[in-house]
Amino acid sequence: MAASTLTEVARLAGVSPATASRVLNGSARKPGKDIAERVRQAADSLGYIPNAQAQGLAKSSSGLIGLIVHDIADPYFAAIARGVQEAAREQRKMVLLATTGGGPAEEKEAVAAFAARRADSIVIAGSRSCRSEDQDGNAELAAELDRYCRNGGQVAVVGHPVVGATVQEGYHVVRVPNQELAGQLATELAAGWDGGFVIVAGPEGLLTSDDRVRGFQEGLERAGRGQAEVIRTAFNRSGGYEAGLQLAERIKAAQSSATAGGKLCIFAVNDVMAIGAAAALRAEGLRIPRDAAIAGFDDIETLRDFRPALSTVRLPLEDIGRFATRATGPQPNGEDTDHVHPGDVTGEVTLRRSTEVAA
Amino acid sequence: MAASTLTEVARLAGVSPATASRVLNGSARKPGKDIAERVRQAADSLGYIPNAQAQGLAKSSSGLIGLIVHDIADPYFAAIARGVQEAAREQRKMVLLATTGGGPAEEKEAVAAFAARRADSIVIAGSRSCRSEDQDGNAELAAELDRYCRNGGQVAVVGHPVVGATVQEGYHVVRVPNQELAGQLATELAAGWDGGFVIVAGPEGLLTSDDRVRGFQEGLERAGRGQAEVIRTAFNRSGGYEAGLQLAERIKAAQSSATAGGKLCIFAVNDVMAIGAAAALRAEGLRIPRDAAIAGFDDIETLRDFRPALSTVRLPLEDIGRFATRATGPQPNGEDTDHVHPGDVTGEVTLRRSTEVAA
DNA sequence: CTGTTAGCGCTTTCAA
DNA sequence: TTGAAAGCGCTAACAG
């Protein structure tokens, strides 16, 4: 009743398990054609499926790639996951998924679980945090990762290195030029906007958010504008919504007062927050871009049909996942390929309706 | 350098591996407190992480749940995946992800891969197809699943049973009342709409799509309306977009002709298609609901901020994933709980702006 | 309660 | 080229 084993196949074919193994799985040595055929027949007459656990045990490698995300239902992570999945398929590996909600403690657990499963590599997506409350967690995570690498594991992190992680072999970082791109966005926005700016950001210490804020401020400065006010809130839709509510008040107040001069351009540090903010403004009876302009970051695919179309920075999310995964995989076998960066992440400022000045 | 083993821990603690195993992993028997402490200390002084592969081999079970989706970046699947992930965590298992693009052949491969890894259970999301081209694939998939179940695997399918699968122990189906709900949607829509209806559907043979079409037609009939025309296209955004382009032509023609009487209400069999169709109409200069009404199905979370708000049928996607996963898990240990359905999937018609008749 | 002894299914030297 | 044997790390009978 139980799945049949290599030994059974071997017996049926009248050969040793060793030979059967050599035939059925890729071995350096090639058994005789006749024998090979017999084994293969026996194998599929028994419906033989190799036991990956046993193989893994014997070879001490599992063909598994661990992926850590905050939330797989978040389109940002889902897009990255797709890329990871594709790259995994290229390497003929399977992906193990862990959802952590973003806490380093859970991430550490996920790494340990992956290590236990002897995952060949681990991809960590999702912003790092350097808040003091996360300090211990980060340290533990770093330690766990360290150990994993020391035992031969490969890890790739999207965005920033894990805070406190020792640089070492097997540890890759796929850098995302959040700061530069946010700067560009600010520059381009400033060129067509003479009102004020306000930034809707995630909690201080969230590295991705901080980078984008910093970059945006720099861009503003380069454009000869003053620093924008920063509103800190949750790094998700509802955070954006709350901030939007606040801003709506303010905008309406400004409109009714005689001061009504410069309109506000809101930069939310990611698309999902931007959508939340936009929803709040709309709920308060404001229109975009008539009453306020708004821009996001990421260019989430599912959100592209949103109207007014959201100005944002396109990030090649799927590629990011792919690159990260490839970085942990076997070295490409091409010759000149090893000093070519396997993938430099670049983004693109994409201005759309949501930040157009009224005609 | 390599991860340390149970044997090493045991040696350091001065006990037998068996004892070490008993204290470190949940065994029925409890070793003495003093000994237990020694072992535990040894374990974390060595940074011991149990080798799940070895455990799996020995216990012949892996703590893995395989999840099969068409595309993890599709918000529909991402939402289900989140539910699966949560339920997996409840069962202290990890999820293995396979993305198939929807073909039964790939699905079969995924099942085989899961079987090779000795996944404890498999959850298959994504519409079944009964198109003739998929017939062979379905048969093979069914056979693979069969074998998997016979070897003690648990499988849950979302929506419909795999075409041709023999009903048997360990095979669960989480039914989704697509047809009924589509019927209700049609009824409610018909109550407030006196124009015509047209259905934008996926390819014939896609069971989910077919159910929704059938249900909608029935609802129309019950409301004393004639059958709606069905436009077949791809079961995704671009399918919706194409259909939308066609319809836009038609609508504009009707508007310019004197006939301009009944407006069109478009029912797209899923939200993503609906959004695509809406985008096409908009691109052609039409407005919703002024020039046409439109409704979808699923109530995808990310799409709720879309304007005009999309009328749709809310499906508890996350619960669906959860239920499916739970169905494959250990029986709940409560007493009366076993004749209580672990989860009946129900949906809810949700009418919003996109189908409002102009005031 | 603890230790000993076999495996789980496969790969891989090492001989033949 | 093939087979025999040892072992990957852990669990589970069975003894002690």
Side-chain angles (χ1 to χ4, degrees):
Chain A
M1 212 57 161
S4 50
T5 75
L6 221 211
T7 316
E8 289 167 5
V9 172
R11 189 163 36 216
L12 209 182
V15 300
S16 77
T19 304
S21 168
R22 295 194 265 254
V23 173
L24 264 14
N25 312 315
S27 169
R29 277 151 47 188
K30 305 259 163 192
K33 299 208 83 171
D34 41 342
I35 276 297
E37 191 50 31
R38 271 222 316 275
V39 172
R40 245 181 287 274
Q41 292 217 333
D44 61 41
S45 98
L46 288 179
Y48 170 72
I49 296 185
N51 183 325
Q53 311 230 63
Q55 290 185 159
L57 222 208
K59 298 197 294 207
S60 66
S61 101
S62 60
L64 255 24
I65 293 179
L67 170 61
I68 299 181
V69 297
H70 287 7
D71 174 10
I72 191 61
D74 179 323
Y76 172 86
F77 292 112
I80 292 182
R82 187 202 257 160
V84 169
Q85 178 79 75
E86 277 172 20
R89 167 162 256 158
E90 286 169 8
Q91 306 178 205
R92 334 203 91 260
K93 298 193 172 167
M94 301 212 71
V95 0
L96 261 176
L97 186 64
T99 307
T100 63
E106 287 101 324
E107 293 180 325
K108 185 215 134 178
E109 276 190 20
V111 171
F114 289 155
R117 299 232 126 84
R118 296 301 182 267
D120 298 333
S121 43
I122 295 180
V123 174
I124 307 185
S127 182
R128 305 294 88 218
S129 149
C130 66
R131 279 176 292 175
S132 58
E133 46 192 298
D134 287 328
Q135 205 168 313
D136 298 351
N138 277 330
E140 286 188 45
L141 172 57
E144 197 70 51
L145 242 20
D146 237 60
R147 176 158 30 143
Y148 175 75
C149 285
R150 223 169 312 126
N151 290 337
Q154 297 279 321
V155 3
V157 193
V158 172
H160 296 84
V162 166
V163 178
T166 326
V167 189
Q168 63 181 106
E169 184 129 29
Y171 186 80
H172 312 114
V173 179
V174 175
R175 298 193 186 271
V176 178
N178 285 305
Q179 194 169 333
E180 294 84 322
L181 291 168
Q184 278 180 236
L185 176 63
T187 308
E188 300 201 21
L189 249 23
W193 187 263
D194 37 80
F197 288 90
V198 54
I199 303 177
V200 175
E204 183 149 29
L206 246 204
L207 266 31
T208 303
S209 170
D210 287 352
D211 280 358
R212 293 178 183 177
V213 170
R214 195 177 315 123
F216 197 82
Q217 300 280 34
E218 287 173 3
L220 249 26
E221 188 163 315
R222 274 198 306 274
R225 302 302 189 88
Q227 296 292 286
E229 176 192 355
V230 178
I231 298 182
R232 304 257 168 211
T233 175
F235 196 61
N236 54 29
R237 184 198 175 274
S238 59
Y241 193 88
E242 280 178 34
L245 250 26
Q246 268 182 55
L247 289 168
E249 286 307 309
R250 227 186 278 188
I251 293 167
K252 288 197 283 190
Q255 282 178 341
S256 58
S257 87
T259 331
K263 280 194 327 189
L264 221 47
C265 177
I266 303 166
F267 166 52
V269 294
N270 68 231
D271 279 2
V272 173
M273 292 176 82
I275 294 297
L281 294 200
R282 205 157 37 205
E284 294 297 308
L286 298 177
R287 296 242 317 255
I288 295 165
R290 194 195 59 187
D291 301 311
I294 189 161
F297 205 108
D298 289 339
D299 198 23
I300 297 296
E301 194 174 332
T302 332
L303 264 21
R304 294 200 191 133
D305 284 313
F306 185 83
R307 283 308 111 112
L310 191 64
S311 290
T312 187
V313 175
R314 171 168 307 194
L315 239 34
L317 265 7
E318 211 171 311
D319 286 340
I320 288 175
R322 225 189 315 262
F323 294 159
T325 308
R326 290 211 188 114
T328 67
Q331 299 313 313
N333 40 5
E335 295 164 358
D336 330 313
T337 56
D338 41 41
H339 48 84
V340 170
H341 276 247
D344 267 329
V345 176
T346 64
E348 193 181 355
V349 173
T350 308
L351 263 25
R352 304 205 181 98
R353 223 21 249 308
S354 71
T355 54
E356 256 169 38
V357 276
Chain B
M1 209 60 158
S4 49
T5 74
L6 221 209
T7 316
E8 289 167 4
V9 172
R11 190 162 37 215
L12 209 182
V15 300
S16 76
T19 304
S21 167
R22 293 193 268 253
V23 1
L24 263 17
N25 312 317
S27 169
R29 275 152 47 190
K30 306 260 165 191
K33 298 208 85 174
D34 42 342
I35 276 296
E37 191 50 30
R38 272 220 318 275
V39 172
R40 244 181 288 275
Q41 291 216 336
D44 62 41
S45 98
L46 288 179
Y48 169 72
I49 296 185
N51 184 324
Q53 310 230 65
Q55 291 185 160
L57 222 208
K59 297 195 295 207
S60 66
S61 104
S62 59
L64 254 26
I65 293 179
L67 170 62
I68 299 180
V69 297
H70 289 3
D71 174 9
I72 192 61
D74 179 323
Y76 172 87
F77 292 112
I80 291 181
R82 186 201 257 161
V84 170
Q85 178 79 80
E86 278 173 20
R89 167 161 256 161
E90 287 169 6
Q91 305 178 204
R92 333 204 93 260
K93 298 194 173 164
M94 300 212 72
V95 359
L96 261 176
L97 186 64
T99 307
T100 62
E106 287 100 325
E107 293 180 325
K108 183 214 139 180
E109 276 190 21
V111 171
F114 289 156
R117 299 229 127 84
R118 298 300 185 266
D120 299 333
S121 44
I122 295 180
V123 174
I124 306 183
S127 183
R128 305 294 89 216
S129 149
C130 65
R131 280 176 291 176
S132 58
E133 47 192 299
D134 287 329
Q135 205 168 313
D136 296 352
N138 276 330
E140 284 188 47
L141 172 57
E144 197 70 51
L145 242 20
D146 238 59
R147 173 153 38 132
Y148 175 75
C149 284
R150 223 169 312 125
N151 290 335
Q154 296 279 321
V155 2
V157 193
V158 172
H160 296 85
V162 167
V163 178
T166 327
V167 190
Q168 64 180 107
E169 184 128 29
Y171 186 79
H172 312 113
V173 179
V174 175
R175 299 193 186 272
V176 178
N178 285 305
Q179 192 169 334
E180 294 85 323
L181 290 168
Q184 276 179 238
L185 176 64
T187 308
E188 300 200 20
L189 248 25
W193 188 263
D194 39 78
F197 288 89
V198 53
I199 302 178
V200 175
E204 184 150 29
L206 246 203
L207 266 31
T208 302
S209 171
D210 288 353
D211 280 357
R212 293 178 183 177
V213 170
R214 194 177 316 122
F216 197 83
Q217 299 281 32
E218 287 173 2
L220 249 28
E221 190 162 312
R222 273 198 307 273
R225 302 300 189 89
Q227 296 293 284
E229 177 192 354
V230 178
I231 298 181
R232 304 258 169 212
T233 177
F235 196 62
N236 53 29
R237 183 197 176 275
S238 60
Y241 193 89
E242 280 179 34
L245 249 28
Q246 268 183 55
L247 289 168
E249 287 307 309
R250 223 186 279 188
I251 293 167
K252 288 197 283 192
Q255 283 178 341
S256 58
S257 87
T259 331
K263 282 197 319 192
L264 221 48
C265 176
I266 302 167
F267 167 52
V269 294
N270 69 230
D271 279 1
V272 173
M273 294 177 81
I275 293 298
L281 294 199
R282 207 158 33 205
E284 293 297 309
L286 299 176
R287 297 245 314 258
I288 296 164
R290 194 195 58 189
D291 301 311
I294 189 161
F297 205 108
D298 287 340
D299 197 25
I300 297 295
E301 195 175 332
T302 333
L303 265 21
R304 295 202 189 131
D305 284 313
F306 185 83
R307 286 304 112 113
L310 191 64
S311 291
T312 187
V313 175
R314 169 167 310 194
L315 239 35
L317 263 10
E318 211 172 309
D319 286 341
I320 288 175
R322 224 189 313 262
F323 294 160
T325 307
R326 290 212 188 114
T328 68
Q331 299 312 314
N333 41 4
E335 296 164 357
D336 332 312
T337 57
D338 40 43
H339 49 83
V340 170
H341 276 249
D344 267 330
V345 177
T346 64
E348 193 181 355
V349 173
T350 308
L351 261 28
R352 304 203 181 101
R353 229 11 255 310
S354 72
T355 53
E356 257 170 37
V357 276

